[in-house]
Amino acid sequence: MGTYRNIAAVAALSLSFFLSGCSQHMMRDVAASGMVGFSNDYAAPWFLASEDTDVMCGMGEGLSAMTYPMGPNADALVPMLSLASGMCADERSKEEELRYIRAIRRNDIETAQDARTLQKRWLALAAKRQYFGYQAGVRAWGEPGKTCPALSDRNDQMSYLMGLLLGLQAFQSDFSLGGTLVPSDTVSKVMSGMSCLGSDDFWGVPAAALSMTEIILANAGDDQVALDVGYAKLARASAVGERDGVRMVQALQASLFAMQGKEERVKQVIRDHVTSKKETPASVEFKLMDKMATRTIKLVSDKLWTQATGQRTPYGKLGTFWDDKPTLENALDIDDLL
């Protein structure tokens, strides 16, 4: 009888420990580590090699609720999901911007105001998601700008890079709304963190981010020499991405020139992007990143087209523009009207 009581006491104590917060956290951490390992070995490689960017958008939103509560052991996985979910919200914001432009062209003030409101709502959500992903990267790899983190493999480096990109995106999104969420020193920290990555290993993106900062500062200071140097660095970074079949820098170029109001330079980047895709196939390993770049460039093109004509880029006509001189090759096809 005494032995039975002892066994029962031990069992009760064990059950109590198992159900305690400490044990629950241990189980959560083990599950999170397993999730990150599975993602690194199987999910992420398949994901990055895929062509369907809509799947990326859906995955970012769908898996967030399951991944984010998993605690610090899952932080390295969060930037990839936040990059995807942030892209979803940002694109919806841009769609509302197109609706706003069309309404203004029709002098439809009520629709324009409604579109602008929704644009801001989606942009605020994008900023929130992007900053959340950046903060997860900070927890996983440390505050950028202090020391370079110990990144053991390509997966760690990709997580670190995505976290830094999210910091830039979050700042830009938040700044467009008045800058109430993202601290003003985020950009300088991200720029310091970019120096920890080999630019040629990541399609020229780190060098492009640094050169874009130089361009913005030179433009603000009206320093033409520094501006020319910055543009030259950006062009070299773009060439790296074109060579490797991951043309993310071209998307950054198009966005920068659009922000500066340099329409002809935007058009040329878009034309160069289309030509590059014909000449150099997308990276097999990182096809999704190249597709994301094209998706971003198409949105920039859509805004130009909508401002000029009231409609987005015609199907299959990315790289062409409404004011191009007509030729036999790009003459109107009856299929365009279907």
Side-chain angles (χ1 to χ4, degrees):
M1 187 70 174
T3 302
Y4 174 79
R5 287 177 179 173
N6 289 338
I7 293 174
V10 171
L13 183 62
S14 299
L15 181 61
S16 174
F17 175 78
F18 182 77
L19 295 176
S20 69
C22 179
S23 178
Q24 289 174 5
H25 288 166
M26 181 178 68
M27 293 173 62
R28 180 202 66 185
D29 291 345
V30 170
S33 297
M35 180 183 294
V36 172
F38 176 81
S39 174
N40 288 343
D41 292 341
Y42 300 102
W46 175 88
F47 181 60
L48 292 171
S50 68
E51 298 184 68
D52 192 340
T53 52
D54 285 324
V55 169
M56 176 180 183
C57 187
M59 189 190 82
E61 291 186 325
L63 292 181
S64 296
M66 182 176 69
T67 306
Y68 294 172
M70 298 300 285
N73 283 16
D75 279 339
L77 184 58
V78 171
M80 180 175 70
L81 297 176
S82 296
L83 193 69
S85 63
M87 182 187 76
C88 299
D90 182 68
E91 286 198 3
R92 289 167 188 151
S93 172
K94 287 181 169 60
E95 285 294 329
E96 291 301 329
E97 184 180 17
L98 297 183
R99 189 164 71 94
Y100 167 81
I101 294 170
R102 288 191 290 268
I104 288 296
R105 286 174 57 86
R106 299 191 307 268
N107 200 30
D108 183 350
I109 303 303
E110 290 181 350
T111 300
Q113 289 176 334
D114 183 69
R116 185 65 90 190
T117 297
L118 281 177
Q119 179 190 358
K120 291 179 179 179
R121 288 181 182 178
W122 283 117
L123 195 58
L125 180 60
K128 184 177 180 180
R129 289 175 174 179
Q130 291 157 351
Y131 191 54
F132 182 85
Y134 168 73
Q135 289 177 307
V138 170
R139 291 193 300 270
W141 311 115
E143 190 84 51
K146 294 182 178 179
T147 59
C148 290
L151 305 172
S152 60
D153 56 23
R154 183 75 168 183
N155 291 315
D156 289 356
Q157 293 171 342
M158 284 291 293
S159 173
Y160 184 65
L161 174 62
M162 289 180 180
L164 296 177
L165 290 175
L166 283 164
L168 292 178
Q169 291 178 343
F171 180 83
Q172 183 178 3
S173 299
D174 184 53
F175 183 78
S176 298
L177 296 170
T180 60
L181 174 67
V182 183
S184 58
D185 62 348
T186 300
V187 173
S188 61
K189 290 179 179 179
V190 168
M191 291 302 103
S192 297
M194 286 289 183
S195 63
C196 295
L197 296 168
S199 187
D200 284 3
D201 294 332
F202 292 96
W203 324 296
V205 171
L210 292 168
S211 64
M212 286 176 66
T213 303
E214 294 175 8
I215 289 169
I216 292 171
L217 292 175
N219 195 46
D222 199 24
D223 187 340
Q224 188 59 47
V225 174
L227 201 58
D228 292 340
V229 170
Y231 283 134
K233 289 181 179 179
L234 185 58
R236 286 196 295 271
S238 179
V240 173
E242 291 182 63
R243 179 198 68 197
D244 295 342
V246 182
R247 286 157 275 252
M248 294 180 67
V249 176
Q250 286 186 323
L252 296 176
Q253 284 179 304
S255 299
L256 173 67
F257 293 143
M259 181 181 68
Q260 294 178 327
K262 300 180 183 294
E263 183 176 297
E264 291 306 315
R265 299 193 77 164
V266 177
K267 288 180 178 179
Q268 191 56 53
V269 170
I270 296 172
R271 293 188 185 104
D272 291 344
H273 181 76
V274 173
T275 300
S276 177
K277 288 181 73 71
K278 291 177 180 177
E279 295 176 349
T280 305
S283 164
V284 174
E285 187 178 0
F286 297 103
K287 191 175 294 183
L288 185 72
M289 308 300 284
D290 193 57
K291 290 285 185 179
M292 283 177 59
T294 301
R295 188 163 174 153
T296 299
I297 282 177
K298 189 177 292 183
L299 284 169
V300 174
S301 175
D302 285 347
K303 183 176 179 179
L304 291 179
W305 269 90
T306 302
Q307 287 173 327
T309 70
Q311 64 172 342
R312 68 187 70 228
T313 311
Y315 180 76
K317 300 297 183 182
L318 182 64
T320 66
F321 299 95
W322 60 94
D323 54 355
D324 288 344
K325 293 181 179 179
T327 65
L328 290 177
E329 289 185 9
N330 61 18
L332 181 65
D333 191 318
I334 190 64
D335 289 340
D336 294 334
L337 302 178
L338 299 180

